[in-house]
Amino acid sequence: MPPEATVLRTVLAGVVLSVSAVVGVDAAAVLPAGAASLESVGNPGRYVRHQDSLARLDPVSPVSAAQLKSDATFTIVNGLASPACYSFQARNGQFLRHRDWRLRIDTNTGDATFRADATFCAVDGALASYNYPGRRVRQRDFALWLDAVVDTPEFRADSAFRIVAPWAPRTTRNPVLPGLFADPHIAAFNGRYYLYPTTDGYASWSGTYYKAFSSADLVTWTDHGVILDHGPDVSWADNSAWAPAVAAANGRYYLYFSGGAAGGNTAKQLGVAVSGSPAGPFRDALGVPLVRSGQFSGGQAIDPMVFTDDDGRSYLYWGQGVARAVPLHADMVSFDPAQVRTITPAGYNEAPFVFKRNGVYYLMWSENDTRSEDYRVAYATGAGPLGPWTPRGVVLQKRLDAGIKGPGHHSVVRAPGTDTWYIAYHRFAVPAGDGTNRETAIDPMTFGADGSIRPVVPSP
């Protein structure tokens, strides 16, 4: 049994995926996100692992080889098909899924079939298939299968697992959130840090909902669940839930987001939602887009961000291909279209972000395509929130010696009451990610004596 397994079981208040342990319990279990190993209850000392891509139960002990320990470690993450369920990501970046009823690990393709096959729900104490809820993960001759439920002691024992401490604990700072999340907006409200990312892992970036996470120390994050879902919550969009950003004003919190339709006219538009809490839930404030597709010539209406100046005036920035900015009215949900300005700097692709330090305004953005390992962050400085802007160069880019590719679509935050700054960004999930399988990272961001941003070295 791995170190701390007994202690972890106590801390998790008995998170045992055993039907026999929770007979009569109708509520779904809540599993802890993060690295873990799954031990068979019916075969103590044997753990779920992958070998030649197939999932099975094998003995693991403190003297086992490092590779075996790694193969027996998974990260419990947000369900690829549903935030109410879970997916299990192997250390090599692949996901546990079923195919022809056999459990195996495969690379996430992002399509609906794969995401459903790789999502499991903790129902009545067992790991049930998301798309075949009458089937459970079960071992037969130590191979893992997805079998139809049979109400026998043998089946219950074969389908019972307990979550224990990981055989191969994580040793890196990043990612800060388990699972696939991109385009993170970081902010500080009421003494806590908040992250609002795009839910990633979907082909063509076709996710539909946003989550919020909060932390007191930028290390341990609380998942506040879904805060806005395009399907039921937004009448004009049911797809492409991209790049949220949150601003506080008028005693409320405003969530700016990109959205579009799954079919027909799929052009992207900007919306705004409102909540009394930074943890949501949010409701669509207008019932129509804040910025309509095609309302302004050129570029794509995505990637909104709001900066509030020292005088209390807020400015909305957005755009892919073309960067735009406009002062918001005091209600935070309207503006004068005649005041919209184009502020596109050389090299700009998307994801504008503005902040102010020591009287200097900083405009930051992402360059190149998000699907490219050369996706990166550059910046300029100016004397006002609308510029003009002086280019200052690239501050965040790939680090191939650490396997880090495509770092970008960032945001920054200042630790309240200090001159300590952090940058949140996404990167291709290490080691097997790409432009639709990305993860969220945070690193310190420092400044030179002249106010320039020092190059950020992305950390593993």
Side-chain angles (χ1 to χ4, degrees), residues 106-139:
D106 276 330
T107 299
N108 177 31
T109 58
D111 61 88
T113 297
F114 183 95
R115 290 186 287 105
D117 289 349
T119 299
F120 302 90
C121 305
V123 179
D124 293 336
L127 279 180
S129 166
Y130 172 79
N131 49 352
Y132 296 94
R135 289 178 176 265
R136 306 288 188 265
V137 176
R138 180 237 187 144
Q139 72 86 17

Side-chain angles (χ1 to χ4, degrees), residues 44-383:
R46 286 183 176 266
Y47 298 81
V48 176
R49 59 84 57 102
H50 60 89
Q51 183 180 42
D52 298 327
S53 297
L54 295 177
R56 53 178 291 107
L57 287 182
D58 276 339
V60 187
S61 74
V63 298
S64 294
Q67 186 61 57
L68 174 56
K69 291 179 179 178
S70 179
D71 293 347
T73 298
F74 294 85
T75 302
I76 302 173
V77 303
N78 191 69
L80 291 177
S82 168
C85 299
Y86 305 90
S87 293
F88 297 83
Q89 189 174 20
R91 278 304 173 88
N92 65 3
Q94 296 182 313
F95 286 84
L96 190 68
R97 57 87 60 99
H98 67 83
R99 192 172 70 201
D100 299 327
W101 310 129
R102 186 75 164 87
L103 272 290
R104 63 188 70 230
I105 60 167
D106 276 330
T107 299
N108 177 31
T109 58
D111 61 88
T113 297
F114 183 95
R115 290 186 287 105
D117 289 349
T119 299
F120 302 90
C121 305
V123 179
D124 293 336
L127 279 180
S129 166
Y130 172 79
N131 49 352
Y132 296 94
R135 289 178 176 265
R136 306 288 188 265
V137 176
R138 180 237 187 144
Q139 72 86 17
R140 281 191 273 128
D141 297 326
F142 304 127
L144 290 185
W145 295 83
L146 196 67
D147 282 350
V149 174
V150 180
D151 189 18
T152 66
E154 179 184 15
F155 186 94
R156 289 195 292 269
D158 289 345
S159 60
F161 302 91
R162 61 171 59 90
I163 297 171
V164 299
W167 278 109
R170 203 180 85 179
T171 59
T172 59
R173 173 193 298 172
N174 286 310
V176 295
L177 302 178
L180 302 177
F181 295 98
D183 312 328
H185 179 84
I186 191 168
F189 300 123
N190 309 320
R192 288 185 70 82
Y193 298 99
Y194 286 80
L195 274 173
Y196 305 92
T198 296
T199 306
D200 215 26
Y202 291 76
S204 302
W205 309 289
S206 56
T208 64
Y209 66 87
Y210 310 99
K211 280 189 160 190
F213 302 84
S214 72
S215 173
D217 57 9
L218 297 174
V219 176
T220 303
W221 292 88
T222 298
D223 183 344
H224 294 285
V226 176
I227 58 172
L228 185 75
D229 188 332
H230 282 196
D233 301 334
V234 180
S235 61
W236 50 269
D238 60 1
N239 195 268
S240 305
W242 299 350
V246 173
N250 310 320
R252 309 171 88 184
Y253 299 87
Y254 298 86
L255 172 72
Y256 301 85
F257 60 95
S258 316
N265 181 0
T266 61
K268 306 304 179 277
Q269 309 185 91
L270 299 186
V272 57
V274 65
S275 175
S277 167
F282 288 79
R283 62 171 179 82
D284 188 355
L286 299 175
V288 295
L290 174 63
V291 176
R292 302 185 309 276
S293 63
Q295 183 176 357
F296 303 97
S297 179
Q300 187 173 203
I302 64 172
D303 298 354
M305 179 269 166
V306 169
F307 163 71
T308 301
D309 209 344
D310 298 334
D311 62 3
R313 191 166 199 188
S314 295
Y315 300 80
L316 173 67
Y317 304 82
W318 78 92
Q320 187 271 328
V322 176
R324 290 189 168 87
V326 65
L328 284 169
H329 292 157
D331 63 8
M332 300 295 283
V333 299
S334 63
F335 60 85
D336 180 356
Q339 294 190 33
V340 173
R341 290 193 189 181
T342 297
I343 58 168
T344 314
Y348 177 90
N349 179 38
E350 60 189 9
F353 190 91
V354 172
F355 69 97
K356 184 179 182 181
R357 177 181 181 269
N358 294 342
V360 177
Y361 295 81
Y362 294 76
L363 167 65
M364 305 180 76
W365 65 88
S366 291
E367 299 185 338
N368 303 319
D369 194 291
T370 190
R371 293 163 291 192
S372 168
E373 69 175 48
D374 295 317
Y375 197 57
R376 63 189 186 180
V377 174
Y379 83 106
T381 56

